[in-house]
PDB file of all heavy atoms in Angstrom:
ATOM      1  N   PHE D 602      -9.729  15.784   4.085  1.00 98.00           N
ATOM      2  CA  PHE D 602      -9.533  16.116   5.492  1.00 98.00           C
ATOM      3  C   PHE D 602      -8.223  15.525   5.971  1.00 98.00           C
ATOM      4  O   PHE D 602      -7.711  14.547   5.411  1.00 98.00           O
ATOM      5  CB  PHE D 602     -10.667  15.550   6.357  1.00 98.00           C
ATOM      6  CG  PHE D 602     -12.007  16.169   6.118  1.00 98.00           C
ATOM      7  CD1 PHE D 602     -12.935  15.559   5.285  1.00 98.00           C
ATOM      8  CD2 PHE D 602     -12.354  17.366   6.728  1.00 98.00           C
ATOM      9  CE1 PHE D 602     -14.176  16.121   5.066  1.00 98.00           C
ATOM     10  CE2 PHE D 602     -13.596  17.942   6.518  1.00 98.00           C
ATOM     11  CZ  PHE D 602     -14.506  17.317   5.687  1.00 98.00           C
ATOM     12  N   HIS D 603      -7.659  16.133   7.000  1.00 98.00           N
ATOM     13  CA  HIS D 603      -6.587  15.509   7.765  1.00 98.00           C
ATOM     14  C   HIS D 603      -6.927  15.708   9.238  1.00 98.00           C
ATOM     15  O   HIS D 603      -7.079  16.848   9.698  1.00 98.00           O
ATOM     16  CB  HIS D 603      -5.221  16.105   7.455  1.00 98.00           C
ATOM     17  CG  HIS D 603      -4.095  15.364   8.125  1.00 98.00           C
ATOM     18  ND1 HIS D 603      -3.712  15.621   9.427  1.00 98.00           N
ATOM     19  CD2 HIS D 603      -3.309  14.343   7.687  1.00 98.00           C
ATOM     20  CE1 HIS D 603      -2.728  14.798   9.761  1.00 98.00           C
ATOM     21  NE2 HIS D 603      -2.477  14.017   8.719  1.00 98.00           N
ATOM     22  N   LEU D 604      -7.071  14.596   9.961  1.00 98.00           N
ATOM     23  CA  LEU D 604      -7.480  14.630  11.359  1.00 98.00           C
ATOM     24  C   LEU D 604      -6.416  13.976  12.218  1.00 98.00           C
ATOM     25  O   LEU D 604      -5.832  12.960  11.832  1.00 98.00           O
ATOM     26  CB  LEU D 604      -8.808  13.883  11.554  1.00 98.00           C
ATOM     27  CG  LEU D 604      -9.954  14.239  10.603  1.00 98.00           C
ATOM     28  CD1 LEU D 604     -11.167  13.374  10.896  1.00 98.00           C
ATOM     29  CD2 LEU D 604     -10.310  15.710  10.703  1.00 98.00           C
ATOM     30  N   ARG D 605      -6.166  14.571  13.385  1.00 97.00           N
ATOM     31  CA  ARG D 605      -5.239  13.934  14.308  1.00 97.00           C
ATOM     32  C   ARG D 605      -5.730  14.103  15.742  1.00 97.00           C
ATOM     33  O   ARG D 605      -6.375  15.095  16.076  1.00 97.00           O
ATOM     34  CB  ARG D 605      -3.823  14.459  14.123  1.00 97.00           C
ATOM     35  CG  ARG D 605      -3.504  15.854  14.645  1.00 97.00           C
ATOM     36  CD  ARG D 605      -2.118  16.252  14.133  1.00 97.00           C
ATOM     37  NE  ARG D 605      -1.505  17.344  14.863  1.00 97.00           N
ATOM     38  CZ  ARG D 605      -1.667  18.620  14.584  1.00 97.00           C
ATOM     39  NH1 ARG D 605      -2.456  18.982  13.600  1.00 97.00           N
ATOM     40  NH2 ARG D 605      -1.031  19.544  15.291  1.00 97.00           N
ATOM     41  N   PHE D 606      -5.408  13.101  16.561  1.00 94.00           N
ATOM     42  CA  PHE D 606      -5.888  13.081  17.940  1.00 94.00           C
ATOM     43  C   PHE D 606      -4.848  13.611  18.924  1.00 94.00           C
ATOM     44  O   PHE D 606      -5.166  13.797  20.095  1.00 94.00           O
ATOM     45  CB  PHE D 606      -6.305  11.655  18.333  1.00 94.00           C
ATOM     46  CG  PHE D 606      -7.660  11.282  17.806  1.00 94.00           C
ATOM     47  CD1 PHE D 606      -7.796  10.654  16.577  1.00 94.00           C
ATOM     48  CD2 PHE D 606      -8.809  11.582  18.523  1.00 94.00           C
ATOM     49  CE1 PHE D 606      -9.046  10.318  16.085  1.00 94.00           C
ATOM     50  CE2 PHE D 606     -10.068  11.255  18.041  1.00 94.00           C
ATOM     51  CZ  PHE D 606     -10.184  10.619  16.813  1.00 94.00           C
ATOM     52  N   ARG D 607      -3.640  13.811  18.452  1.00 91.00           N
ATOM     53  CA  ARG D 607      -2.601  14.399  19.303  1.00 91.00           C
ATOM     54  C   ARG D 607      -1.779  15.365  18.472  1.00 91.00           C
ATOM     55  O   ARG D 607      -1.793  15.323  17.241  1.00 91.00           O
ATOM     56  CB  ARG D 607      -1.666  13.316  19.871  1.00 91.00           C
ATOM     57  CG  ARG D 607      -2.276  12.431  20.940  1.00 91.00           C
ATOM     58  CD  ARG D 607      -1.189  11.511  21.472  1.00 91.00           C
ATOM     59  NE  ARG D 607      -1.686  10.564  22.448  1.00 91.00           N
ATOM     60  CZ  ARG D 607      -0.958   9.583  22.960  1.00 91.00           C
ATOM     61  NH1 ARG D 607       0.295   9.424  22.577  1.00 91.00           N
ATOM     62  NH2 ARG D 607      -1.474   8.748  23.843  1.00 91.00           N
ATOM     63  N   ASP D 608      -1.030  16.206  19.182  1.00 91.00           N
ATOM     64  CA  ASP D 608      -0.127  17.110  18.482  1.00 91.00           C
ATOM     65  C   ASP D 608       0.879  16.300  17.675  1.00 91.00           C
ATOM     66  O   ASP D 608       1.096  16.538  16.486  1.00 91.00           O
ATOM     67  CB  ASP D 608       0.582  18.011  19.498  1.00 91.00           C
ATOM     68  CG  ASP D 608       1.490  19.025  18.831  1.00 91.00           C
ATOM     69  OD1 ASP D 608       1.346  19.240  17.611  1.00 91.00           O
ATOM     70  OD2 ASP D 608       2.343  19.601  19.524  1.00 91.00           O
ATOM     71  N   ILE D 609       1.515  15.326  18.331  1.00 90.00           N
ATOM     72  CA  ILE D 609       2.433  14.414  17.649  1.00 90.00           C
ATOM     73  C   ILE D 609       1.623  13.190  17.247  1.00 90.00           C
ATOM     74  O   ILE D 609       1.241  12.373  18.086  1.00 90.00           O
ATOM     75  CB  ILE D 609       3.602  14.004  18.567  1.00 90.00           C
ATOM     76  CG1 ILE D 609       4.374  15.245  19.020  1.00 90.00           C
ATOM     77  CG2 ILE D 609       4.516  13.025  17.854  1.00 90.00           C
ATOM     78  CD1 ILE D 609       5.052  15.999  17.906  1.00 90.00           C
ATOM     79  N   ALA D 610       1.335  13.070  15.969  1.00 93.00           N
ATOM     80  CA  ALA D 610       0.502  11.970  15.497  1.00 93.00           C
ATOM     81  C   ALA D 610       0.942  11.568  14.095  1.00 93.00           C
ATOM     82  O   ALA D 610       1.542  12.363  13.368  1.00 93.00           O
ATOM     83  CB  ALA D 610      -0.976  12.378  15.500  1.00 93.00           C
ATOM     84  N   ARG D 611       0.635  10.331  13.726  1.00 90.00           N
ATOM     85  CA  ARG D 611       1.042   9.843  12.408  1.00 90.00           C
ATOM     86  C   ARG D 611      -0.019   8.892  11.875  1.00 90.00           C
ATOM     87  O   ARG D 611      -0.657   8.146  12.627  1.00 90.00           O
ATOM     88  CB  ARG D 611       2.384   9.106  12.483  1.00 90.00           C
ATOM     89  CG  ARG D 611       3.074   8.952  11.130  1.00 90.00           C
ATOM     90  CD  ARG D 611       4.209   7.956  11.205  1.00 90.00           C
ATOM     91  NE  ARG D 611       3.706   6.652  11.566  1.00 90.00           N
ATOM     92  CZ  ARG D 611       3.060   5.841  10.735  1.00 90.00           C
ATOM     93  NH1 ARG D 611       2.842   6.217   9.484  1.00 90.00           N
ATOM     94  NH2 ARG D 611       2.617   4.669  11.135  1.00 90.00           N
ATOM     95  N   GLY D 612      -0.199   8.944  10.565  1.00 91.00           N
ATOM     96  CA  GLY D 612      -1.144   8.046   9.905  1.00 91.00           C
ATOM     97  C   GLY D 612      -1.069   8.234   8.406  1.00 91.00           C
ATOM     98  O   GLY D 612      -0.509   9.201   7.904  1.00 91.00           O
ATOM     99  N   GLY D 613      -1.646   7.300   7.674  1.00 91.00           N
ATOM    100  CA  GLY D 613      -1.563   7.317   6.227  1.00 91.00           C
ATOM    101  C   GLY D 613      -2.532   8.288   5.572  1.00 91.00           C
ATOM    102  O   GLY D 613      -3.485   8.766   6.182  1.00 91.00           O
ATOM    103  N   ILE D 614      -2.274   8.565   4.285  1.00 95.00           N
ATOM    104  CA  ILE D 614      -3.145   9.387   3.453  1.00 95.00           C
ATOM    105  C   ILE D 614      -3.745   8.466   2.392  1.00 95.00           C
ATOM    106  O   ILE D 614      -3.015   7.846   1.624  1.00 95.00           O
ATOM    107  CB  ILE D 614      -2.371  10.528   2.764  1.00 95.00           C
ATOM    108  CG1 ILE D 614      -1.545  11.316   3.789  1.00 95.00           C
ATOM    109  CG2 ILE D 614      -3.328  11.432   2.006  1.00 95.00           C
ATOM    110  CD1 ILE D 614      -2.352  11.992   4.861  1.00 95.00           C
ATOM    111  N   ARG D 615      -5.056   8.367   2.374  1.00 94.00           N
ATOM    112  CA  ARG D 615      -5.699   7.506   1.389  1.00 94.00           C
ATOM    113  C   ARG D 615      -6.552   8.332   0.438  1.00 94.00           C
ATOM    114  O   ARG D 615      -7.051   9.400   0.789  1.00 94.00           O
ATOM    115  CB  ARG D 615      -6.552   6.422   2.059  1.00 94.00           C
ATOM    116  CG  ARG D 615      -7.798   6.904   2.764  1.00 94.00           C
ATOM    117  CD  ARG D 615      -8.708   5.734   3.164  1.00 94.00           C
ATOM    118  NE  ARG D 615      -8.002   4.668   3.836  1.00 94.00           N
ATOM    119  CZ  ARG D 615      -8.578   3.540   4.242  1.00 94.00           C
ATOM    120  NH1 ARG D 615      -9.889   3.357   4.046  1.00 94.00           N
ATOM    121  NH2 ARG D 615      -7.887   2.612   4.863  1.00 94.00           N
ATOM    122  N   ILE D 616      -6.686   7.812  -0.774  1.00 94.00           N
ATOM    123  CA  ILE D 616      -7.532   8.455  -1.780  1.00 94.00           C
ATOM    124  C   ILE D 616      -8.705   7.536  -2.051  1.00 94.00           C
ATOM    125  O   ILE D 616      -8.524   6.349  -2.347  1.00 94.00           O
ATOM    126  CB  ILE D 616      -6.740   8.748  -3.067  1.00 94.00           C
ATOM    127  CG1 ILE D 616      -5.663   9.806  -2.795  1.00 94.00           C
ATOM    128  CG2 ILE D 616      -7.670   9.206  -4.185  1.00 94.00           C
ATOM    129  CD1 ILE D 616      -4.803  10.142  -3.986  1.00 94.00           C
ATOM    130  N   VAL D 617      -9.905   8.081  -1.941  1.00 93.00           N
ATOM    131  CA  VAL D 617     -11.125   7.306  -2.123  1.00 93.00           C
ATOM    132  C   VAL D 617     -11.691   7.581  -3.513  1.00 93.00           C
ATOM    133  O   VAL D 617     -11.931   8.736  -3.878  1.00 93.00           O
ATOM    134  CB  VAL D 617     -12.164   7.658  -1.036  1.00 93.00           C
ATOM    135  CG1 VAL D 617     -13.472   6.910  -1.290  1.00 93.00           C
ATOM    136  CG2 VAL D 617     -11.617   7.326   0.347  1.00 93.00           C
ATOM    137  N   LYS D 618     -11.907   6.512  -4.267  1.00 90.00           N
ATOM    138  CA  LYS D 618     -12.516   6.622  -5.584  1.00 90.00           C
ATOM    139  C   LYS D 618     -13.974   6.176  -5.507  1.00 90.00           C
ATOM    140  O   LYS D 618     -14.363   5.468  -4.589  1.00 90.00           O
ATOM    141  CB  LYS D 618     -11.763   5.749  -6.597  1.00 90.00           C
ATOM    142  CG  LYS D 618     -10.331   6.168  -6.847  1.00 90.00           C
ATOM    143  CD  LYS D 618      -9.693   5.271  -7.892  1.00 90.00           C
ATOM    144  CE  LYS D 618      -8.305   5.716  -8.266  1.00 90.00           C
ATOM    145  NZ  LYS D 618      -7.707   4.849  -9.310  1.00 90.00           N
ATOM    146  N   SER D 619     -14.747   6.581  -6.511  1.00 90.00           N
ATOM    147  CA  SER D 619     -16.167   6.218  -6.564  1.00 90.00           C
ATOM    148  C   SER D 619     -16.477   5.663  -7.954  1.00 90.00           C
ATOM    149  O   SER D 619     -16.149   6.282  -8.964  1.00 90.00           O
ATOM    150  CB  SER D 619     -17.047   7.432  -6.284  1.00 90.00           C
ATOM    151  OG  SER D 619     -16.666   8.080  -5.082  1.00 90.00           O
ATOM    152  N   ARG D 620     -17.139   4.506  -7.994  1.00 81.00           N
ATOM    153  CA  ARG D 620     -17.418   3.853  -9.280  1.00 81.00           C
ATOM    154  C   ARG D 620     -18.407   4.646 -10.125  1.00 81.00           C
ATOM    155  O   ARG D 620     -18.343   4.630 -11.349  1.00 81.00           O
ATOM    156  CB  ARG D 620     -17.985   2.453  -9.049  1.00 81.00           C
ATOM    157  CG  ARG D 620     -17.057   1.499  -8.359  1.00 81.00           C
ATOM    158  CD  ARG D 620     -17.665   0.100  -8.299  1.00 81.00           C
ATOM    159  NE  ARG D 620     -19.005   0.112  -7.729  1.00 81.00           N
ATOM    160  CZ  ARG D 620     -19.246   0.091  -6.424  1.00 81.00           C
ATOM    161  NH1 ARG D 620     -18.233   0.063  -5.572  1.00 81.00           N
ATOM    162  NH2 ARG D 620     -20.482   0.097  -5.962  1.00 81.00           N
ATOM    163  N   ASN D 621     -19.340   5.326  -9.473  1.00 87.00           N
ATOM    164  CA  ASN D 621     -20.376   6.046 -10.198  1.00 87.00           C
ATOM    165  C   ASN D 621     -20.906   7.170  -9.315  1.00 87.00           C
ATOM    166  O   ASN D 621     -20.427   7.365  -8.186  1.00 87.00           O
ATOM    167  CB  ASN D 621     -21.501   5.099 -10.619  1.00 87.00           C
ATOM    168  CG  ASN D 621     -21.973   4.227  -9.457  1.00 87.00           C
ATOM    169  OD1 ASN D 621     -22.160   4.718  -8.337  1.00 87.00           O
ATOM    170  ND2 ASN D 621     -22.161   2.940  -9.719  1.00 87.00           N
ATOM    171  N   ALA D 622     -21.884   7.904  -9.830  1.00 89.00           N
ATOM    172  CA  ALA D 622     -22.415   9.056  -9.094  1.00 89.00           C
ATOM    173  C   ALA D 622     -23.057   8.631  -7.780  1.00 89.00           C
ATOM    174  O   ALA D 622     -22.943   9.333  -6.771  1.00 89.00           O
ATOM    175  CB  ALA D 622     -23.428   9.808  -9.965  1.00 89.00           C
ATOM    176  N   GLU D 623     -23.737   7.483  -7.781  1.00 87.00           N
ATOM    177  CA  GLU D 623     -24.371   7.010  -6.548  1.00 87.00           C
ATOM    178  C   GLU D 623     -23.320   6.688  -5.488  1.00 87.00           C
ATOM    179  O   GLU D 623     -23.471   7.054  -4.317  1.00 87.00           O
ATOM    180  CB  GLU D 623     -25.224   5.775  -6.839  1.00 87.00           C
ATOM    181  CG  GLU D 623     -25.937   5.238  -5.606  1.00 87.00           C
ATOM    182  CD  GLU D 623     -26.726   3.970  -5.897  1.00 87.00           C
ATOM    183  OE1 GLU D 623     -26.662   3.482  -7.052  1.00 87.00           O
ATOM    184  OE2 GLU D 623     -27.382   3.450  -4.982  1.00 87.00           O
ATOM    185  N   ALA D 624     -22.257   5.998  -5.918  1.00 86.00           N
ATOM    186  CA  ALA D 624     -21.178   5.673  -4.971  1.00 86.00           C
ATOM    187  C   ALA D 624     -20.522   6.940  -4.445  1.00 86.00           C
ATOM    188  O   ALA D 624     -20.175   7.022  -3.254  1.00 86.00           O
ATOM    189  CB  ALA D 624     -20.142   4.779  -5.647  1.00 86.00           C
ATOM    190  N   TYR D 625     -20.370   7.946  -5.316  1.00 92.00           N
ATOM    191  CA  TYR D 625     -19.784   9.204  -4.860  1.00 92.00           C
ATOM    192  C   TYR D 625     -20.660   9.864  -3.810  1.00 92.00           C
ATOM    193  O   TYR D 625     -20.162  10.381  -2.801  1.00 92.00           O
ATOM    194  CB  TYR D 625     -19.582  10.161  -6.042  1.00 92.00           C
ATOM    195  CG  TYR D 625     -19.117  11.535  -5.604  1.00 92.00           C
ATOM    196  CD1 TYR D 625     -17.789  11.754  -5.271  1.00 92.00           C
ATOM    197  CD2 TYR D 625     -20.019  12.595  -5.484  1.00 92.00           C
ATOM    198  CE1 TYR D 625     -17.351  13.003  -4.838  1.00 92.00           C
ATOM    199  CE2 TYR D 625     -19.597  13.838  -5.049  1.00 92.00           C
ATOM    200  CZ  TYR D 625     -18.263  14.039  -4.733  1.00 92.00           C
ATOM    201  OH  TYR D 625     -17.845  15.267  -4.290  1.00 92.00           O
ATOM    202  N   SER D 626     -21.962   9.858  -4.029  1.00 89.00           N
ATOM    203  CA  SER D 626     -22.878  10.463  -3.065  1.00 89.00           C
ATOM    204  C   SER D 626     -22.767   9.782  -1.710  1.00 89.00           C
ATOM    205  O   SER D 626     -22.739  10.446  -0.663  1.00 89.00           O
ATOM    206  CB  SER D 626     -24.309  10.372  -3.595  1.00 89.00           C
ATOM    207  OG  SER D 626     -25.220  10.927  -2.672  1.00 89.00           O
ATOM    208  N   ILE D 627     -22.678   8.465  -1.707  1.00 85.00           N
ATOM    209  CA  ILE D 627     -22.528   7.717  -0.452  1.00 85.00           C
ATOM    210  C   ILE D 627     -21.196   8.046   0.208  1.00 85.00           C
ATOM    211  O   ILE D 627     -21.114   8.298   1.413  1.00 85.00           O
ATOM    212  CB  ILE D 627     -22.650   6.205  -0.723  1.00 85.00           C
ATOM    213  CG1 ILE D 627     -24.066   5.869  -1.188  1.00 85.00           C
ATOM    214  CG2 ILE D 627     -22.276   5.395   0.520  1.00 85.00           C
ATOM    215  CD1 ILE D 627     -24.222   4.448  -1.701  1.00 85.00           C
ATOM    216  N   ASN D 628     -20.135   8.059  -0.596  1.00 89.00           N
ATOM    217  CA  ASN D 628     -18.809   8.356  -0.049  1.00 89.00           C
ATOM    218  C   ASN D 628     -18.733   9.774   0.517  1.00 89.00           C
ATOM    219  O   ASN D 628     -18.107  10.013   1.552  1.00 89.00           O
ATOM    220  CB  ASN D 628     -17.741   8.174  -1.132  1.00 89.00           C
ATOM    221  CG  ASN D 628     -17.496   6.728  -1.483  1.00 89.00           C
ATOM    222  OD1 ASN D 628     -17.722   5.833  -0.651  1.00 89.00           O
ATOM    223  ND2 ASN D 628     -17.045   6.465  -2.692  1.00 89.00           N
ATOM    224  N   ALA D 629     -19.369  10.716  -0.187  1.00 91.00           N
ATOM    225  CA  ALA D 629     -19.326  12.109   0.271  1.00 91.00           C
ATOM    226  C   ALA D 629     -20.019  12.264   1.617  1.00 91.00           C
ATOM    227  O   ALA D 629     -19.576  13.037   2.472  1.00 91.00           O
ATOM    228  CB  ALA D 629     -19.970  13.030  -0.776  1.00 91.00           C
ATOM    229  N   ARG D 630     -21.114  11.536   1.819  1.00 88.00           N
ATOM    230  CA  ARG D 630     -21.832  11.636   3.092  1.00 88.00           C
ATOM    231  C   ARG D 630     -21.019  11.050   4.252  1.00 88.00           C
ATOM    232  O   ARG D 630     -21.135  11.506   5.386  1.00 88.00           O
ATOM    233  CB  ARG D 630     -23.177  10.918   3.000  1.00 88.00           C
ATOM    234  CG  ARG D 630     -24.218  11.633   2.177  1.00 88.00           C
ATOM    235  CD  ARG D 630     -25.617  11.126   2.501  1.00 88.00           C
ATOM    236  NE  ARG D 630     -25.766   9.701   2.270  1.00 88.00           N
ATOM    237  CZ  ARG D 630     -26.146   9.160   1.109  1.00 88.00           C
ATOM    238  NH1 ARG D 630     -26.386   9.959   0.084  1.00 88.00           N
ATOM    239  NH2 ARG D 630     -26.287   7.873   0.977  1.00 88.00           N
ATOM    240  N   SER D 631     -20.221  10.039   3.956  1.00 87.00           N
ATOM    241  CA  SER D 631     -19.556   9.309   5.042  1.00 87.00           C
ATOM    242  C   SER D 631     -18.073   9.612   5.178  1.00 87.00           C
ATOM    243  O   SER D 631     -17.416   9.079   6.069  1.00 87.00           O
ATOM    244  CB  SER D 631     -19.734   7.802   4.825  1.00 87.00           C
ATOM    245  OG  SER D 631     -19.119   7.385   3.609  1.00 87.00           O
TER     246      SER D 631
END
Side-chain angles (χ1 to χ4, degrees):
F602 293 98
H603 186 276
L604 311 178
R605 74 190 198 272
F606 281 92
R607 288 185 183 174
D608 183 16
I609 301 296
R611 198 193 62 76
I614 309 298
R615 69 169 49 182
I616 294 179
V617 176
K618 296 182 175 181
S619 308
R620 297 185 307 276
N621 49 44
E623 181 183 3
Y625 174 79
S626 179
I627 294 170
N628 288 334
R630 287 199 301 271
S631 62

